[in-house]
Amino acid sequence: YDGRNAEYYSEDALLSGRFAAMTIKGAKEEGLYCYMKHFAVNETESLREGLYTFLSEQTLREIYLKGFEIAVKESSPDFIMTSYNKLNGKYTSETAQLLKGVLRDEWEYDGAIMTDWRNHADLTTEIKAGNNIKMPFGYFEEGRKVLNAYKDGKISLSILRENAIFVLKAVMKTRSFLKCDFGIKHHLDK
């Protein structure tokens, strides 16, 4: 709750969840994308990547996840960004129980999940845990890592397809996609 106070609504999970849900609904009504961050337990801004937080499941669910749960169930944000920190010894972006178990299975979240920018977690583990996008997107070496992990049998084609589906579904909700407005079109002569 002390991670980026200017970006968070309240230490109270109910207030945070309701404010986030209403903000997301309002933005979506105007055709904007919304994503929530930092999922979960982002407790500091300084040295965020080195933060190790240890919590019981009850504390995690009642205090830290409740606001996210309310916002997801009431407004279904397009994206959720994981946090840099480790939770009970694992990076949040590598924790399948959090991403697939809680977000996808329990809360029925169907948006895309993305990492925080240039985190230090293992890409293969993140993909298997349920992350769909490694931020920032477009680093050539990360594409090579995924391809090698697939070739080595560390990531299945079904997991890669599942991730692609979540990303494509999010893109297909954009105003540009719905209007087939993809910006400036260049016609090349034959």
Side-chain angles (χ1 to χ4, degrees), residues 118 135-144:
R118 281 310 241 180
M135 295 301 290
F137 181 72
Y139 283 89
F140 182 74
E141 71 272 11
E142 290 172 350
R144 191 176 322 126

Side-chain angles (χ1 to χ4, degrees), residues 10-105:
S10 171
E11 291 181 357
D12 182 276
L14 177 62
L15 287 176
S16 287
R18 296 290 293 156
F19 277 125
M22 294 302 163
T23 302
I24 293 164
K25 283 180 182 178
K28 285 175 132 185
E29 286 174 8
E30 297 301 318
L32 301 174
Y33 255 15
C34 281
Y35 71 93
M36 292 192 309
K37 59 184 187 180
H38 295 96
F39 191 73
V41 195
N42 184 45
E43 286 280 283
T44 184
E45 183 59 21
S46 300
L47 305 171
R48 288 187 290 160
E49 296 172 37
L51 180 66
Y52 287 41
T53 305
F54 293 90
L55 300 170
S56 69
E57 184 173 350
Q58 180 178 358
T59 302
L60 178 66
R61 286 180 179 274
E62 290 179 0
I63 297 174
Y64 294 93
L65 297 183
K66 196 60 166 173
F68 286 102
E69 179 182 11
I70 292 166
V72 166
K73 288 181 175 180
E74 292 184 10
S75 65
S76 191
D78 301 298
F79 292 91
I80 293 179
M81 179 185 277
T82 57
S83 52
Y84 280 124
N85 58 291
K86 287 188 176 183
L87 174 60
N88 294 335
K90 290 178 77 172
Y91 285 110
T92 58
S93 61
E94 295 179 340
T95 307
Q97 299 92 328
L98 195 60
L99 306 181
K100 287 185 176 181
V102 174
L103 272 176
R104 298 268 188 232
D105 296 341

Side-chain angles (χ1 to χ4, degrees), residues 14 43 55 69 83 99 111 113 124 146 151 166 174 179 184 188:
L14 177 62
E43 286 280 283
L55 300 170
E69 179 182 11
S83 52
L99 306 181
I113 301 171
T124 303
V146 173
K151 287 179 178 178
F166 284 117
T174 64
K179 292 182 177 182
I184 299 171
L188 302 175

